[in-house]
Amino acid sequence: MNIMRKLVVLSLLLSSLFVQAQKLNRIEIGVFHPLAVGDNFLEQSYNGFIGVDAKFTYAKPSVFRFKVGADASWIKEDGSIAAANDVYRVNPKLEFGVNVPVVNLQPYINIGYVFYIIADNDPLLAIFEDDALSGLNIGLGVNYSIGKWFYIDANYQLSKLNQDTINSNFFETIEFINVGVGIRI
């Protein structure tokens, strides 16, 4: 239940920021394909299915950009030895970027907090408490503008989970590569 409270507070905060958007191109909405990489439990037994991303450009000076947003991913079990059917990933974040208008690129870094929600109540998963699958998330990416409204985005995300129950890098460090498209409104 603790995770649900955090998600409700996050949703209200993001909603209030989006309502304040008064200029065009301040909101970005995208879809992407999440791909788990590295040696971790998600890469071994799950396939990224689809993710959605929403960002609000808070400060938009000529060169530097500051955005707040969140993404959510649906990660499906691949039919192997996984104990849970699906995993949902929610990542509220702050993003700092640089605008390179000559080549329509916007490289960026982001930092946030990630939640992994297990979709199955299997007793084998009893070791995972409410906040056991959450932790710090950092990312590095690039956004390529296609005209005024559309963009292509690619990024690398690294999550370091708060995992006190199992001391293993296999459950503590999760890496993702996300590739997607989006629209600015």
Side-chain angles (χ1 to χ4, degrees):
M1 202 60 177
N2 193 13
I3 290 177
M4 291 305 291
R5 248 181 285 143
K6 291 176 184 176
L7 290 175
V8 168
V9 170
L10 173 69
S11 298
L12 291 174
L13 176 67
L14 289 175
S15 297
S16 69
L17 289 172
F18 289 144
V19 167
Q20 295 177 19
Q22 296 177 2
K23 296 181 182 177
L24 290 177
N25 296 331
R26 286 224 156 190
I27 297 176
E28 294 179 3
I29 300 173
V31 295
F32 61 89
H33 176 69
L35 177 64
V37 295
D39 186 24
N40 59 69
F41 75 100
L42 287 176
E43 190 275 332
Q44 295 293 321
S45 302
Y46 293 87
N47 291 324
F49 184 60
I50 193 165
V52 294
D53 187 313
K55 293 182 237 177
F56 172 74
T57 303
Y58 192 78
K60 189 178 173 181
S62 61
V63 176
F64 299 102
R65 295 183 182 266
F66 174 67
K67 300 176 185 179
V68 294
D71 64 64
S73 303
W74 178 15
I75 304 156
K76 295 180 69 151
E77 192 266 332
D78 68 1
S80 64
I81 60 170
N85 292 334
D86 295 330
V87 175
Y88 300 98
R89 178 181 189 268
V90 178
N91 179 29
K93 58 191 169 187
L94 299 174
E95 185 176 297
F96 307 95
V98 177
N99 189 20
V100 185
V102 175
V103 290
N104 293 332
L105 288 179
Q106 294 176 11
Y108 61 87
I109 59 171
N110 62 39
I111 186 166
Y113 199 81
V114 68
F115 303 94
Y116 289 91
I117 302 164
I118 307 285
D120 198 331
N121 291 326
D122 192 315
L124 294 173
L125 298 176
I127 57 171
F128 298 121
E129 298 171 6
D130 282 346
D131 291 335
L133 288 176
S134 63
L136 181 66
N137 188 77
I138 57 173
L140 178 64
V142 65
N143 192 306
Y144 177 74
S145 295
I146 302 171
K148 183 177 180 179
W149 301 98
F150 301 99
Y151 64 89
I152 298 172
D153 188 80
N155 62 67
Y156 167 79
Q157 300 291 319
L158 172 70
S159 302
K160 188 68 174 172
L161 303 182
N162 300 329
Q163 188 55 259
D164 296 331
T165 311
I166 302 172
N167 278 334
S168 169
N169 232 12
F170 191 71
F171 291 100
E172 291 177 349
T173 304
I174 309 295
E175 299 172 85
F176 272 94
I177 293 177
N178 300 321
V179 178
V181 295
I183 187 168
R184 292 184 181 97
I185 53 177

